[in-house]
Amino acid sequence: MRIDIITVLPELLRSPFEASILKRAIEKGLVEVHFHNLRDYTDTKYRNVDDYQFGGGAGMVLMIEPIDKCITDLKAQRHYDEIIYMTPDGETLNQKMSNQLSMIDNMIILCGHYKGVDQRVRDAFITKEISIGDYVLSGGELGAAVLCDSIIRLIPGVLNDETSALTDTFQDGLLAPPVYTRPAEYKGMNVPDILLSGNFGKIEEWRESKAYERTEKLRPDLLQ
Ligand code: ADE
């Protein structure tokens, strides 16, 4: 998979890709992530990428020209399956979307800033608009990092234990069951006996019932 991220703040985005699972995925060659600074696609003296909005109103808007130049440049080099725009008024990200996006080859992610981008960018180039939740961030960069993390960990070979992404919360529409590790007893708090029994059939049954119980209590909406 190849991900091209267009941003005015590449420095805000680098660190999530320089540690842990994302770093390893890049080192293993399972994903390539490229950052493109929008300011490199403008020839104005001050390299400005935004301007006042027509009709008046507070807040600057990212201009179409540098974005057009950057996207056109990338599209001339390869086919992109999705060109995603990170925006609070996009479709809310969920596990199903991450699963689908983890199966594509090439994607561009455009990070919004200020009041957003000129609507003509959205009309002409964008194939999918994604929000990471009903709150407004200062820009799309942190949302893009969340999106990339949720996608990259699903690419086969990225996680060491192949089954571990499949048993994540949300993967089967339920929250994950509780987990425990050593010691089996800590200050009078005990790990449920069933988990120490070695009876894997019963353990699986227990996990399913706990996942259901937890979902019913914390996220009954998922069961509807
Ligand atoms: N940009 C600003 N707010 C955002 C959000 N909630 N999700 C994605 N991108 C954003």
Side-chain angles (χ1 to χ4, degrees), residues 12-61:
L12 191 61
L13 258 171
R14 287 193 201 282
S15 71
F17 298 93
E18 288 170 354
S20 186
I21 290 172
L22 301 193
K23 179 182 180 199
R24 210 171 57 223
I26 293 168
E27 284 171 354
K28 280 190 190 168
L30 296 167
V31 63
E32 271 179 48
V33 182
H34 299 267
F35 302 105
H36 305 277
N37 189 336
L38 205 49
R39 292 188 201 283
D40 295 339
Y41 294 84
T42 161
D43 14 80
T44 60
K45 188 171 166 202
Y46 297 105
R47 302 214 303 161
N48 44 323
V49 289
D50 57 329
D51 209 336
Y52 296 100
Q53 50 179 311
F54 279 124
M60 306 294 273
V61 175

mmCIF file of all heavy atoms in Angstrom, residues 12-61:
data_model
loop_
_atom_site.group_PDB
_atom_site.id
_atom_site.type_symbol
_atom_site.label_atom_id
_atom_site.label_comp_id
_atom_site.label_asym_id
_atom_site.label_seq_id
_atom_site.Cartn_x
_atom_site.Cartn_y
_atom_site.Cartn_z
ATOM 1 N N LEU A 12 3.888 17.981 11.856
ATOM 2 C CA LEU A 12 2.896 17.529 12.834
ATOM 3 C C LEU A 12 2.586 16.041 12.649
ATOM 4 O O LEU A 12 2.092 15.375 13.544
ATOM 5 C CB LEU A 12 1.612 18.354 12.642
ATOM 6 C CG LEU A 12 0.519 18.250 13.695
ATOM 7 C CD1 LEU A 12 1.026 18.703 15.053
ATOM 8 C CD2 LEU A 12 -0.675 19.096 13.286
ATOM 9 N N LEU A 13 2.867 15.542 11.470
ATOM 10 C CA LEU A 13 2.441 14.191 11.102
ATOM 11 C C LEU A 13 3.514 13.137 11.212
ATOM 12 O O LEU A 13 3.214 11.947 11.199
ATOM 13 C CB LEU A 13 1.978 14.222 9.648
ATOM 14 C CG LEU A 13 0.473 14.250 9.449
ATOM 15 C CD1 LEU A 13 0.148 14.507 8.003
ATOM 16 C CD2 LEU A 13 -0.154 12.951 9.910
ATOM 17 N N ARG A 14 4.768 13.531 11.282
ATOM 18 C CA ARG A 14 5.828 12.531 11.143
ATOM 19 C C ARG A 14 5.892 11.535 12.290
ATOM 20 O O ARG A 14 6.027 10.335 12.059
ATOM 21 C CB ARG A 14 7.186 13.216 10.974
ATOM 22 C CG ARG A 14 7.323 13.848 9.606
ATOM 23 C CD ARG A 14 8.747 14.246 9.293
ATOM 24 N NE ARG A 14 8.779 15.243 8.253
ATOM 25 C CZ ARG A 14 8.618 14.993 6.959
ATOM 26 N NH1 ARG A 14 8.435 13.748 6.560
ATOM 27 N NH2 ARG A 14 8.625 15.975 6.076
ATOM 28 N N SER A 15 5.803 12.018 13.545
ATOM 29 C CA SER A 15 6.131 11.133 14.673
ATOM 30 C C SER A 15 5.273 9.862 14.777
ATOM 31 O O SER A 15 5.812 8.821 15.120
ATOM 32 C CB SER A 15 6.161 11.906 15.989
ATOM 33 O OG SER A 15 4.872 12.281 16.358
ATOM 34 N N PRO A 16 3.971 9.876 14.479
ATOM 35 C CA PRO A 16 3.224 8.612 14.592
ATOM 36 C C PRO A 16 3.773 7.504 13.694
ATOM 37 O O PRO A 16 3.569 6.330 13.964
ATOM 38 C CB PRO A 16 1.798 8.987 14.158
ATOM 39 C CG PRO A 16 1.709 10.455 14.289
ATOM 40 C CD PRO A 16 3.093 10.988 14.085
ATOM 41 N N PHE A 17 4.484 7.906 12.623
ATOM 42 C CA PHE A 17 5.000 6.909 11.681
ATOM 43 C C PHE A 17 6.427 6.495 12.029
ATOM 44 O O PHE A 17 7.031 5.714 11.326
ATOM 45 C CB PHE A 17 4.944 7.470 10.250
ATOM 46 C CG PHE A 17 3.538 7.778 9.812
ATOM 47 C CD1 PHE A 17 3.009 9.045 9.977
ATOM 48 C CD2 PHE A 17 2.739 6.782 9.267
ATOM 49 C CE1 PHE A 17 1.698 9.322 9.602
ATOM 50 C CE2 PHE A 17 1.440 7.052 8.889
ATOM 51 C CZ PHE A 17 0.910 8.329 9.055
ATOM 52 N N GLU A 18 6.947 7.074 13.124
ATOM 53 C CA GLU A 18 8.344 6.806 13.477
ATOM 54 C C GLU A 18 8.466 5.949 14.724
ATOM 55 O O GLU A 18 9.520 5.899 15.362
ATOM 56 C CB GLU A 18 9.080 8.140 13.673
ATOM 57 C CG GLU A 18 9.302 8.858 12.351
ATOM 58 C CD GLU A 18 9.811 10.279 12.498
ATOM 59 O OE1 GLU A 18 9.898 10.784 13.638
ATOM 60 O OE2 GLU A 18 10.104 10.892 11.453
ATOM 61 N N ALA A 19 7.361 5.303 15.123
ATOM 62 C CA ALA A 19 7.415 4.468 16.321
ATOM 63 C C ALA A 19 6.515 3.246 16.170
ATOM 64 O O ALA A 19 5.558 3.262 15.398
ATOM 65 C CB ALA A 19 6.960 5.275 17.540
ATOM 66 N N SER A 20 6.884 2.205 16.897
ATOM 67 C CA SER A 20 6.020 1.038 17.103
ATOM 68 C C SER A 20 5.523 0.384 15.812
ATOM 69 O O SER A 20 6.288 0.173 14.877
ATOM 70 C CB SER A 20 4.866 1.469 18.005
ATOM 71 O OG SER A 20 4.064 0.399 18.367
ATOM 72 N N ILE A 21 4.232 0.091 15.755
ATOM 73 C CA ILE A 21 3.669 -0.730 14.676
ATOM 74 C C ILE A 21 3.775 -0.053 13.311
ATOM 75 O O ILE A 21 4.114 -0.695 12.316
ATOM 76 C CB ILE A 21 2.198 -1.078 15.018
ATOM 77 C CG1 ILE A 21 2.181 -2.069 16.194
ATOM 78 C CG2 ILE A 21 1.473 -1.687 13.816
ATOM 79 C CD1 ILE A 21 0.816 -2.349 16.757
ATOM 80 N N LEU A 22 3.501 1.248 13.230
ATOM 81 C CA LEU A 22 3.562 1.923 11.922
ATOM 82 C C LEU A 22 4.998 1.957 11.406
ATOM 83 O O LEU A 22 5.249 1.744 10.225
ATOM 84 C CB LEU A 22 2.984 3.332 12.011
ATOM 85 C CG LEU A 22 1.528 3.458 12.477
ATOM 86 C CD1 LEU A 22 0.994 4.854 12.216
ATOM 87 C CD2 LEU A 22 0.637 2.425 11.822
ATOM 88 N N LYS A 23 5.928 2.200 12.301
ATOM 89 C CA LYS A 23 7.341 2.223 11.907
ATOM 90 C C LYS A 23 7.741 0.854 11.343
ATOM 91 O O LYS A 23 8.373 0.756 10.286
ATOM 92 C CB LYS A 23 8.204 2.563 13.130
ATOM 93 C CG LYS A 23 9.685 2.591 12.836
ATOM 94 C CD LYS A 23 10.475 2.880 14.097
ATOM 95 C CE LYS A 23 11.955 2.899 13.796
ATOM 96 N NZ LYS A 23 12.744 2.731 15.017
ATOM 97 N N ARG A 24 7.345 -0.197 12.061
ATOM 98 C CA ARG A 24 7.707 -1.561 11.634
ATOM 99 C C ARG A 24 7.078 -1.898 10.286
ATOM 100 O O ARG A 24 7.699 -2.511 9.424
ATOM 101 C CB ARG A 24 7.270 -2.557 12.708
ATOM 102 C CG ARG A 24 8.155 -3.778 12.750
ATOM 103 C CD ARG A 24 7.865 -4.651 13.951
ATOM 104 N NE ARG A 24 6.490 -5.072 14.011
ATOM 105 C CZ ARG A 24 5.751 -5.082 15.111
ATOM 106 N NH1 ARG A 24 6.263 -4.664 16.253
ATOM 107 N NH2 ARG A 24 4.510 -5.502 15.088
ATOM 108 N N ALA A 25 5.819 -1.468 10.091
ATOM 109 C CA ALA A 25 5.126 -1.737 8.816
ATOM 110 C C ALA A 25 5.874 -1.081 7.658
ATOM 111 O O ALA A 25 6.013 -1.667 6.580
ATOM 112 C CB ALA A 25 3.691 -1.229 8.886
ATOM 113 N N ILE A 26 6.388 0.117 7.891
ATOM 114 C CA ILE A 26 7.144 0.831 6.851
ATOM 115 C C ILE A 26 8.480 0.114 6.610
ATOM 116 O O ILE A 26 8.872 -0.137 5.476
ATOM 117 C CB ILE A 26 7.343 2.317 7.245
ATOM 118 C CG1 ILE A 26 5.989 3.040 7.240
ATOM 119 C CG2 ILE A 26 8.333 3.003 6.309
ATOM 120 C CD1 ILE A 26 5.993 4.417 7.874
ATOM 121 N N GLU A 27 9.146 -0.250 7.710
ATOM 122 C CA GLU A 27 10.444 -0.942 7.577
ATOM 123 C C GLU A 27 10.308 -2.274 6.850
ATOM 124 O O GLU A 27 11.194 -2.673 6.100
ATOM 125 C CB GLU A 27 11.063 -1.167 8.960
ATOM 126 C CG GLU A 27 11.667 0.113 9.521
ATOM 127 C CD GLU A 27 12.105 -0.023 10.974
ATOM 128 O OE1 GLU A 27 11.839 -1.079 11.596
ATOM 129 O OE2 GLU A 27 12.686 0.936 11.493
ATOM 130 N N LYS A 28 9.191 -2.969 7.091
ATOM 131 C CA LYS A 28 8.965 -4.268 6.421
ATOM 132 C C LYS A 28 8.561 -4.089 4.967
ATOM 133 O O LYS A 28 8.356 -5.067 4.248
ATOM 134 C CB LYS A 28 7.834 -5.023 7.133
ATOM 135 C CG LYS A 28 8.211 -5.738 8.400
ATOM 136 C CD LYS A 28 7.004 -6.618 8.798
ATOM 137 C CE LYS A 28 7.102 -7.237 10.155
ATOM 138 N NZ LYS A 28 5.793 -7.821 10.560
ATOM 139 N N GLY A 29 8.336 -2.845 4.537
ATOM 140 C CA GLY A 29 7.943 -2.590 3.149
ATOM 141 C C GLY A 29 6.476 -2.902 2.872
ATOM 142 O O GLY A 29 6.065 -3.020 1.720
ATOM 143 N N LEU A 30 5.668 -3.002 3.937
ATOM 144 C CA LEU A 30 4.242 -3.320 3.739
ATOM 145 C C LEU A 30 3.440 -2.072 3.399
ATOM 146 O O LEU A 30 2.355 -2.151 2.850
ATOM 147 C CB LEU A 30 3.680 -3.992 4.999
ATOM 148 C CG LEU A 30 4.323 -5.350 5.311
ATOM 149 C CD1 LEU A 30 3.960 -5.812 6.709
ATOM 150 C CD2 LEU A 30 3.895 -6.381 4.281
ATOM 151 N N VAL A 31 3.974 -0.916 3.751
ATOM 152 C CA VAL A 31 3.313 0.348 3.427
ATOM 153 C C VAL A 31 4.382 1.422 3.190
ATOM 154 O O VAL A 31 5.444 1.382 3.809
ATOM 155 C CB VAL A 31 2.319 0.759 4.551
ATOM 156 C CG1 VAL A 31 3.030 0.999 5.865
ATOM 157 C CG2 VAL A 31 1.521 1.988 4.165
ATOM 158 N N GLU A 32 4.076 2.308 2.252
ATOM 159 C CA GLU A 32 4.941 3.478 2.021
ATOM 160 C C GLU A 32 4.108 4.693 2.353
ATOM 161 O O GLU A 32 2.976 4.796 1.878
ATOM 162 C CB GLU A 32 5.249 3.604 0.526
ATOM 163 C CG GLU A 32 6.450 2.868 0.030
ATOM 164 C CD GLU A 32 6.596 3.086 -1.475
ATOM 165 O OE1 GLU A 32 6.511 4.233 -1.948
ATOM 166 O OE2 GLU A 32 6.784 2.085 -2.160
ATOM 167 N N VAL A 33 4.664 5.615 3.139
ATOM 168 C CA VAL A 33 3.927 6.844 3.454
ATOM 169 C C VAL A 33 4.773 8.032 2.991
ATOM 170 O O VAL A 33 5.958 8.123 3.330
ATOM 171 C CB VAL A 33 3.630 6.950 4.973
ATOM 172 C CG1 VAL A 33 2.813 8.202 5.272
ATOM 173 C CG2 VAL A 33 2.877 5.714 5.460
ATOM 174 N N HIS A 34 4.185 8.891 2.171
ATOM 175 C CA HIS A 34 4.907 10.061 1.648
ATOM 176 C C HIS A 34 4.165 11.331 2.050
ATOM 177 O O HIS A 34 2.944 11.394 1.921
ATOM 178 C CB HIS A 34 4.992 9.991 0.118
ATOM 179 C CG HIS A 34 5.734 8.779 -0.358
ATOM 180 N ND1 HIS A 34 7.079 8.788 -0.625
ATOM 181 C CD2 HIS A 34 5.316 7.508 -0.574
ATOM 182 C CE1 HIS A 34 7.458 7.580 -1.006
ATOM 183 N NE2 HIS A 34 6.407 6.777 -0.980
ATOM 184 N N PHE A 35 4.916 12.317 2.514
ATOM 185 C CA PHE A 35 4.314 13.597 2.903
ATOM 186 C C PHE A 35 4.589 14.627 1.814
ATOM 187 O O PHE A 35 5.704 14.687 1.287
ATOM 188 C CB PHE A 35 4.916 14.089 4.220
ATOM 189 C CG PHE A 35 4.744 13.103 5.338
ATOM 190 C CD1 PHE A 35 5.811 12.337 5.784
ATOM 191 C CD2 PHE A 35 3.506 12.918 5.932
ATOM 192 C CE1 PHE A 35 5.644 11.403 6.792
ATOM 193 C CE2 PHE A 35 3.333 11.991 6.945
ATOM 194 C CZ PHE A 35 4.405 11.234 7.382
ATOM 195 N N HIS A 36 3.597 15.431 1.501
ATOM 196 C CA HIS A 36 3.764 16.488 0.503
ATOM 197 C C HIS A 36 3.351 17.804 1.135
ATOM 198 O O HIS A 36 2.197 17.960 1.556
ATOM 199 C CB HIS A 36 2.894 16.197 -0.726
ATOM 200 C CG HIS A 36 3.172 14.834 -1.296
ATOM 201 N ND1 HIS A 36 4.208 14.580 -2.161
ATOM 202 C CD2 HIS A 36 2.559 13.647 -1.074
ATOM 203 C CE1 HIS A 36 4.216 13.294 -2.468
ATOM 204 N NE2 HIS A 36 3.228 12.703 -1.820
ATOM 205 N N ASN A 37 4.310 18.717 1.216
ATOM 206 C CA ASN A 37 4.025 20.025 1.796
ATOM 207 C C ASN A 37 3.362 20.892 0.721
ATOM 208 O O ASN A 37 3.962 21.166 -0.326
ATOM 209 C CB ASN A 37 5.337 20.661 2.271
ATOM 210 C CG ASN A 37 5.077 21.913 3.080
ATOM 211 O OD1 ASN A 37 4.023 22.551 2.936
ATOM 212 N ND2 ASN A 37 6.035 22.274 3.916
ATOM 213 N N LEU A 38 2.139 21.307 1.009
ATOM 214 C CA LEU A 38 1.371 22.079 0.028
ATOM 215 C C LEU A 38 2.125 23.340 -0.423
ATOM 216 O O LEU A 38 1.984 23.786 -1.563
ATOM 217 C CB LEU A 38 0.023 22.450 0.646
ATOM 218 C CG LEU A 38 -1.142 22.714 -0.290
ATOM 219 C CD1 LEU A 38 -1.305 21.621 -1.335
ATOM 220 C CD2 LEU A 38 -2.419 22.872 0.517
ATOM 221 N N ARG A 39 2.950 23.863 0.487
ATOM 222 C CA ARG A 39 3.697 25.096 0.145
ATOM 223 C C ARG A 39 4.714 24.873 -0.973
ATOM 224 O O ARG A 39 5.148 25.825 -1.609
ATOM 225 C CB ARG A 39 4.402 25.658 1.383
ATOM 226 C CG ARG A 39 3.419 26.182 2.392
ATOM 227 C CD ARG A 39 4.088 26.922 3.536
ATOM 228 N NE ARG A 39 3.180 26.961 4.666
ATOM 229 C CZ ARG A 39 2.134 27.777 4.765
ATOM 230 N NH1 ARG A 39 1.884 28.638 3.822
ATOM 231 N NH2 ARG A 39 1.344 27.728 5.818
ATOM 232 N N ASP A 40 5.079 23.620 -1.209
ATOM 233 C CA ASP A 40 6.011 23.334 -2.315
ATOM 234 C C ASP A 40 5.322 23.431 -3.676
ATOM 235 O O ASP A 40 5.975 23.301 -4.700
ATOM 236 C CB ASP A 40 6.615 21.925 -2.162
ATOM 237 C CG ASP A 40 7.484 21.823 -0.921
ATOM 238 O OD1 ASP A 40 7.935 22.869 -0.437
ATOM 239 O OD2 ASP A 40 7.683 20.691 -0.435
ATOM 240 N N TYR A 41 4.009 23.603 -3.660
ATOM 241 C CA TYR A 41 3.257 23.644 -4.933
ATOM 242 C C TYR A 41 2.715 25.029 -5.224
ATOM 243 O O TYR A 41 1.740 25.188 -5.931
ATOM 244 C CB TYR A 41 2.133 22.598 -4.917
ATOM 245 C CG TYR A 41 2.691 21.203 -4.880
ATOM 246 C CD1 TYR A 41 3.068 20.619 -3.682
ATOM 247 C CD2 TYR A 41 2.896 20.495 -6.062
ATOM 248 C CE1 TYR A 41 3.630 19.353 -3.646
ATOM 249 C CE2 TYR A 41 3.461 19.228 -6.039
ATOM 250 C CZ TYR A 41 3.826 18.672 -4.830
ATOM 251 O OH TYR A 41 4.387 17.420 -4.809
ATOM 252 N N THR A 42 3.333 26.035 -4.602
ATOM 253 C CA THR A 42 2.912 27.404 -4.895
ATOM 254 C C THR A 42 4.138 28.196 -5.337
ATOM 255 O O THR A 42 5.241 27.957 -4.840
ATOM 256 C CB THR A 42 2.234 28.065 -3.670
ATOM 257 O OG1 THR A 42 2.247 29.460 -3.863
ATOM 258 C CG2 THR A 42 2.922 27.738 -2.371
ATOM 259 N N ASP A 43 3.945 29.106 -6.311
ATOM 260 C CA ASP A 43 5.117 29.893 -6.710
ATOM 261 C C ASP A 43 4.999 31.346 -6.256
ATOM 262 O O ASP A 43 5.742 32.195 -6.711
ATOM 263 C CB ASP A 43 5.388 29.818 -8.228
ATOM 264 C CG ASP A 43 4.252 29.252 -9.014
ATOM 265 O OD1 ASP A 43 3.277 29.984 -9.302
ATOM 266 O OD2 ASP A 43 4.350 28.064 -9.299
ATOM 267 N N THR A 44 4.058 31.628 -5.354
ATOM 268 C CA THR A 44 3.954 33.008 -4.873
ATOM 269 C C THR A 44 5.125 33.307 -3.933
ATOM 270 O O THR A 44 5.702 32.386 -3.350
ATOM 271 C CB THR A 44 2.621 33.250 -4.127
ATOM 272 O OG1 THR A 44 2.572 32.361 -3.022
ATOM 273 C CG2 THR A 44 1.418 33.011 -5.020
ATOM 274 N N LYS A 45 5.423 34.587 -3.788
ATOM 275 C CA LYS A 45 6.606 35.013 -3.032
ATOM 276 C C LYS A 45 6.596 34.457 -1.602
ATOM 277 O O LYS A 45 7.602 33.976 -1.098
ATOM 278 C CB LYS A 45 6.651 36.544 -3.022
ATOM 279 C CG LYS A 45 7.912 37.106 -2.432
ATOM 280 C CD LYS A 45 8.008 38.613 -2.645
ATOM 281 C CE LYS A 45 9.087 39.196 -1.775
ATOM 282 N NZ LYS A 45 8.895 40.624 -1.546
ATOM 283 N N TYR A 46 5.432 34.540 -0.933
ATOM 284 C CA TYR A 46 5.380 34.116 0.470
ATOM 285 C C TYR A 46 4.881 32.686 0.621
ATOM 286 O O TYR A 46 4.584 32.237 1.713
ATOM 287 C CB TYR A 46 4.519 35.095 1.279
ATOM 288 C CG TYR A 46 5.114 36.484 1.280
ATOM 289 C CD1 TYR A 46 4.565 37.507 0.504
ATOM 290 C CD2 TYR A 46 6.261 36.752 2.033
ATOM 291 C CE1 TYR A 46 5.142 38.773 0.486
ATOM 292 C CE2 TYR A 46 6.838 38.018 2.014
ATOM 293 C CZ TYR A 46 6.285 39.014 1.246
ATOM 294 O OH TYR A 46 6.866 40.249 1.228
ATOM 295 N N ARG A 47 4.803 31.961 -0.481
ATOM 296 C CA ARG A 47 4.371 30.561 -0.483
ATOM 297 C C ARG A 47 3.027 30.384 0.243
ATOM 298 O O ARG A 47 2.810 29.410 0.945
ATOM 299 C CB ARG A 47 5.441 29.661 0.152
ATOM 300 C CG ARG A 47 6.785 29.757 -0.565
ATOM 301 C CD ARG A 47 7.525 28.439 -0.574
ATOM 302 N NE ARG A 47 7.771 27.858 0.730
ATOM 303 C CZ ARG A 47 8.065 26.580 0.934
ATOM 304 N NH1 ARG A 47 8.153 25.767 -0.084
ATOM 305 N NH2 ARG A 47 8.272 26.119 2.141
ATOM 306 N N ASN A 48 2.138 31.385 0.076
ATOM 307 C CA ASN A 48 0.861 31.249 0.782
ATOM 308 C C ASN A 48 -0.075 30.296 0.041
ATOM 309 O O ASN A 48 -0.110 30.246 -1.186
ATOM 310 C CB ASN A 48 0.190 32.602 1.048
ATOM 311 C CG ASN A 48 0.228 33.505 -0.143
ATOM 312 O OD1 ASN A 48 1.216 33.513 -0.873
ATOM 313 N ND2 ASN A 48 -0.838 34.239 -0.369
ATOM 314 N N VAL A 49 -0.787 29.518 0.826
ATOM 315 C CA VAL A 49 -1.651 28.469 0.272
ATOM 316 C C VAL A 49 -3.127 28.735 0.574
ATOM 317 O O VAL A 49 -3.996 27.979 0.175
ATOM 318 C CB VAL A 49 -1.267 27.088 0.859
ATOM 319 C CG1 VAL A 49 0.073 26.617 0.319
ATOM 320 C CG2 VAL A 49 -1.245 27.134 2.377
ATOM 321 N N ASP A 50 -3.394 29.839 1.320
ATOM 322 C CA ASP A 50 -4.770 30.120 1.714
ATOM 323 C C ASP A 50 -5.134 31.558 1.376
ATOM 324 O O ASP A 50 -4.261 32.387 1.121
ATOM 325 C CB ASP A 50 -4.946 29.891 3.222
ATOM 326 C CG ASP A 50 -3.978 30.734 4.048
ATOM 327 O OD1 ASP A 50 -2.858 31.019 3.565
ATOM 328 O OD2 ASP A 50 -4.339 31.119 5.158
ATOM 329 N N ASP A 51 -6.433 31.850 1.377
ATOM 330 C CA ASP A 51 -6.888 33.205 1.063
ATOM 331 C C ASP A 51 -8.246 33.440 1.732
ATOM 332 O O ASP A 51 -8.869 32.498 2.238
ATOM 333 C CB ASP A 51 -6.987 33.371 -0.465
ATOM 334 C CG ASP A 51 -6.747 34.828 -0.894
ATOM 335 O OD1 ASP A 51 -6.959 35.748 -0.063
ATOM 336 O OD2 ASP A 51 -6.358 35.039 -2.055
ATOM 337 N N TYR A 52 -8.698 34.716 1.715
ATOM 338 C CA TYR A 52 -10.001 35.056 2.311
ATOM 339 C C TYR A 52 -11.122 34.412 1.520
ATOM 340 O O TYR A 52 -10.984 34.157 0.320
ATOM 341 C CB TYR A 52 -10.182 36.578 2.331
ATOM 342 C CG TYR A 52 -9.168 37.246 3.219
ATOM 343 C CD1 TYR A 52 -8.036 37.855 2.673
ATOM 344 C CD2 TYR A 52 -9.332 37.238 4.605
ATOM 345 C CE1 TYR A 52 -7.085 38.441 3.503
ATOM 346 C CE2 TYR A 52 -8.384 37.826 5.433
ATOM 347 C CZ TYR A 52 -7.269 38.417 4.874
ATOM 348 O OH TYR A 52 -6.331 38.985 5.693
ATOM 349 N N GLN A 53 -12.247 34.160 2.185
ATOM 350 C CA GLN A 53 -13.355 33.551 1.450
ATOM 351 C C GLN A 53 -14.195 34.596 0.731
ATOM 352 O O GLN A 53 -14.422 35.687 1.246
ATOM 353 C CB GLN A 53 -14.203 32.645 2.331
ATOM 354 C CG GLN A 53 -14.676 33.221 3.648
ATOM 355 C CD GLN A 53 -15.527 32.195 4.388
ATOM 356 O OE1 GLN A 53 -16.438 31.602 3.833
ATOM 357 N NE2 GLN A 53 -15.227 31.998 5.670
ATOM 358 N N PHE A 54 -14.629 34.250 -0.471
ATOM 359 C CA PHE A 54 -15.553 35.108 -1.222
ATOM 360 C C PHE A 54 -16.842 35.265 -0.429
ATOM 361 O O PHE A 54 -17.315 34.313 0.193
ATOM 362 C CB PHE A 54 -15.886 34.477 -2.581
ATOM 363 C CG PHE A 54 -14.827 34.706 -3.626
ATOM 364 C CD1 PHE A 54 -14.240 33.620 -4.278
ATOM 365 C CD2 PHE A 54 -14.431 36.000 -3.976
ATOM 366 C CE1 PHE A 54 -13.282 33.826 -5.255
ATOM 367 C CE2 PHE A 54 -13.463 36.205 -4.955
ATOM 368 C CZ PHE A 54 -12.882 35.121 -5.600
ATOM 369 N N GLY A 55 -17.403 36.473 -0.479
ATOM 370 C CA GLY A 55 -18.672 36.704 0.213
ATOM 371 C C GLY A 55 -18.477 37.138 1.650
ATOM 372 O O GLY A 55 -19.450 37.407 2.353
ATOM 373 N N GLY A 56 -17.219 37.162 2.094
ATOM 374 C CA GLY A 56 -16.932 37.593 3.463
ATOM 375 C C GLY A 56 -17.084 36.457 4.460
ATOM 376 O O GLY A 56 -17.551 35.370 4.117
ATOM 377 N N GLY A 57 -16.686 36.731 5.704
ATOM 378 C CA GLY A 57 -16.766 35.702 6.749
ATOM 379 C C GLY A 57 -15.388 35.413 7.294
ATOM 380 O O GLY A 57 -14.388 35.582 6.600
ATOM 381 N N ALA A 58 -15.372 34.992 8.590
ATOM 382 C CA ALA A 58 -14.100 34.757 9.269
ATOM 383 C C ALA A 58 -13.434 33.496 8.756
ATOM 384 O O ALA A 58 -14.095 32.549 8.359
ATOM 385 C CB ALA A 58 -14.349 34.636 10.764
ATOM 386 N N GLY A 59 -12.098 33.522 8.763
ATOM 387 C CA GLY A 59 -11.351 32.302 8.469
ATOM 388 C C GLY A 59 -10.871 32.206 7.046
ATOM 389 O O GLY A 59 -11.533 32.657 6.117
ATOM 390 N N MET A 60 -9.671 31.637 6.928
ATOM 391 C CA MET A 60 -9.041 31.491 5.622
ATOM 392 C C MET A 60 -9.421 30.142 5.012
ATOM 393 O O MET A 60 -9.791 29.218 5.712
ATOM 394 C CB MET A 60 -7.518 31.547 5.782
ATOM 395 C CG MET A 60 -7.017 32.782 6.506
ATOM 396 S SD MET A 60 -7.321 34.281 5.569
ATOM 397 C CE MET A 60 -5.847 34.314 4.551
ATOM 398 N N VAL A 61 -9.283 30.081 3.689
ATOM 399 C CA VAL A 61 -9.661 28.870 2.949
ATOM 400 C C VAL A 61 -8.454 28.414 2.124
ATOM 401 O O VAL A 61 -7.791 29.243 1.489
ATOM 402 C CB VAL A 61 -10.866 29.170 2.024
ATOM 403 C CG1 VAL A 61 -11.204 27.965 1.157
ATOM 404 C CG2 VAL A 61 -12.077 29.604 2.845
#
